[in-house]
Amino acid sequence: SGKYDGGITYSRSLLNLKPWISYELNNLNVKAGFTISTNSVGSNTQTGFYPNVNADLSLSENWTLFGVLSGGQKWNSLGNILEGNEFLDDSLAILNIETNFSFGGGIKGKPLSTVLLESSITYSSLNGLPFFTPSPGDSTKYTLSYDTDNINLTKLKASASYMPGTTSLYRASIELNAYSVESLDRAWHQPTFVFKAFTSHNIQEKLILSSHLTSMGGIRAPANVDFGYVNLKAFIDMGVGVKYLISQRASAFIDVNNLLNNEYERYLGYPTRGLAFKIGAQYRF
């Protein structure tokens, strides 16, 4: 459960209960049940029932087919939204994200002991998914806009991981997204493809070296005319990081982004310019 008092005066809470049973037969494992979500926004409270089914079928020792039918309410916080877009207006109407249903499946396996592969396709019907549009009160900032009808999202995803030992990791993934919206003109600022690559190396249990690459494309932003839009250019952002573990509680780090010195816009009107770096320290209480 949780509660949030937003810039627009209202309170919000959410409670999820997920009773389920599990069944196993030879190579088949099924977990079936339902999700009970009680969502409260201001004085309005709604309770919904959603499916919750997961199934795994082992094809061999190394390969598994999986399927899922699920739904429910997901808590959406200001922190989660700021991770995606920090150029926001002060007053935001934040809603929980409702998945009416999500249906899909895929295959995962280990062709080698050090390699993990996974691919899947899912189709989801959503409510309350926020999109970023210019704020009416301040056109230099963004606000959250919602589609008044259901949003349909088809997602195709594939990933590969390589773990040659306990101290190194290589991982790459790609997502292809197709949105269908009703009252909004476009799925504003949502990419149609996302590619990510990451590697990490732990040296003598103290020094962690990492590198990452992110590429996005197919992003459309609202223009300054009714029903107009701008196609933002696809971009690549590469970075490296160094983290030193001083103790179990303390660490220091250096992060460098945009090594290619590219100028691009993830959000219209906010170009990323040149190489950027961050130096800092962390301490866990």
Side-chain angles (χ1 to χ4, degrees):
S1 63
K3 185 175 182 180
Y4 168 78
D5 293 323
I8 295 178
T9 304
Y10 64 84
S11 62
R12 187 164 52 98
S13 63
L14 174 65
L15 175 64
N16 283 322
L17 296 177
K18 298 183 178 182
W20 55 270
I21 59 173
S22 182
Y23 176 76
E24 295 183 19
L25 176 64
N26 297 328
N27 297 328
L28 179 65
N29 187 315
V30 178
K31 185 173 77 170
F34 54 92
T35 298
I36 307 171
S37 293
T38 299
N39 179 33
S40 175
V41 179
S43 59
N44 297 321
T45 300
Q46 294 181 337
T47 298
F49 295 83
Y50 308 87
N52 184 13
V53 181
N54 291 272
D56 293 328
L57 176 63
S58 296
L59 302 178
S60 66
E61 184 178 352
N62 296 326
W63 292 96
T64 301
L65 285 175
F66 62 91
V68 61
L69 173 62
S70 63
Q73 299 270 356
K74 179 182 178 182
W75 182 259
N76 198 17
S77 69
L78 178 62
N80 293 337
I81 295 172
L82 287 174
E83 288 181 1
N85 186 349
E86 59 182 309
F87 314 111
L88 298 177
D89 202 348
D90 294 331
S91 297
L92 300 172
I94 302 176
L95 304 178
N96 295 327
I97 299 175
E98 179 184 23
T99 301
N100 299 311
F101 68 87
S102 180
F103 175 76
I107 186 171
K108 57 185 175 181
K110 281 188 172 185
L112 300 172
S113 61
T114 57
V115 176
L116 175 63
L117 303 178
E118 182 174 336
S119 63
S120 63
I121 183 171
T122 57
Y123 177 82
S124 304
S125 173
L126 308 168
N127 282 316
L129 185 67
F131 299 94
F132 300 111
T133 56
S135 172
D138 185 352
S139 60
T140 65
K141 294 184 178 181
Y142 285 96
T143 190
L144 304 180
S145 295
Y146 299 92
D147 198 300
T148 55
D149 297 307
N150 291 339
I151 300 166
N152 299 320
L153 170 60
T154 302
K155 182 185 293 288
L156 178 64
K157 186 175 181 179
S159 64
S161 300
Y162 173 54
M163 295 159 284
T166 59
T167 60
S168 296
L169 169 65
Y170 301 85
R171 179 176 173 81
S173 65
I174 186 169
E175 289 184 7
L176 301 177
N177 302 307
Y179 290 88
S180 175
V181 294
E182 297 292 335
S183 61
L184 292 178
D185 191 38
R186 297 286 190 279
W188 300 122
H189 286 104
Q190 295 296 330
T192 56
F193 83 83
V194 180
F195 175 79
K196 294 183 178 181
F198 173 81
T199 179
S200 176
H201 306 275
N202 191 328
I203 300 175
Q204 295 182 348
E205 299 183 355
K206 286 288 186 179
L207 187 64
I208 300 175
L209 306 179
S210 63
S211 62
H212 63 84
L213 182 150
T214 300
S215 179
M216 295 185 185
I219 302 173
R220 292 181 175 180
N224 293 324
V225 294
D226 291 338
F227 302 105
Y229 64 88
V230 176
N231 285 314
L232 300 183
K233 292 182 179 180
F235 66 86
I236 296 176
D237 192 315
M238 295 178 60
V240 295
V242 179
K243 185 175 183 179
Y244 183 76
L245 305 178
I246 302 171
S247 67
Q248 292 183 346
R249 295 178 177 270
S251 61
F253 65 88
I254 301 175
D255 290 330
V256 182
N257 293 311
N258 202 5
L259 287 175
L260 299 179
N261 203 33
N262 291 331
E263 181 177 324
Y264 63 86
E265 288 180 307
R266 172 63 179 89
Y267 298 98
L268 183 64
Y270 286 91
T272 299
R273 299 182 183 274
L275 182 145
F277 68 91
K278 178 170 63 174
I279 300 175
Q282 295 176 331
Y283 186 84
R284 297 176 181 174
F285 295 93

